[in-house]
Amino acid sequence: MASEQSKAHHVGEWATIRQTSPEIAEAIFEVADYDERLAEQIWEQQGSDEVLMRAFEKTDQDVLTWDNKPVERKNV
């Protein structure tokens, strides 16, 4: 089983490749229970309310990025 450190590193790389904020990527993987295939499906849908709520709980930023598109906290 992967360690928390290796999971974090993998999620960080995944976020960078997909031009997605690390907070959103982490929330996607949490919702997908770290199943990469399911995470990819969630990412492709671009707009899961559960993911976005979790992502904004992880930061004080007002704008995060999902596939290089800005998502504002006020719209969640």
Side-chain angles (χ1 to χ4, degrees), residues 21-32:
S21 297
E23 296 86 357
I24 289 178
E26 186 177 335
I28 287 171
F29 272 88
E30 287 172 2
V31 169

Side-chain angles (χ1 to χ4, degrees), residues 18-19 21 24 46 63-72:
R18 288 161 183 80
Q19 298 179 331
S21 297
I24 289 178
Q46 295 187 15
V63 178
L64 295 176
T65 306
W66 190 319
D67 191 20
N68 206 29
K69 297 178 185 98
V71 179
E72 294 184 42

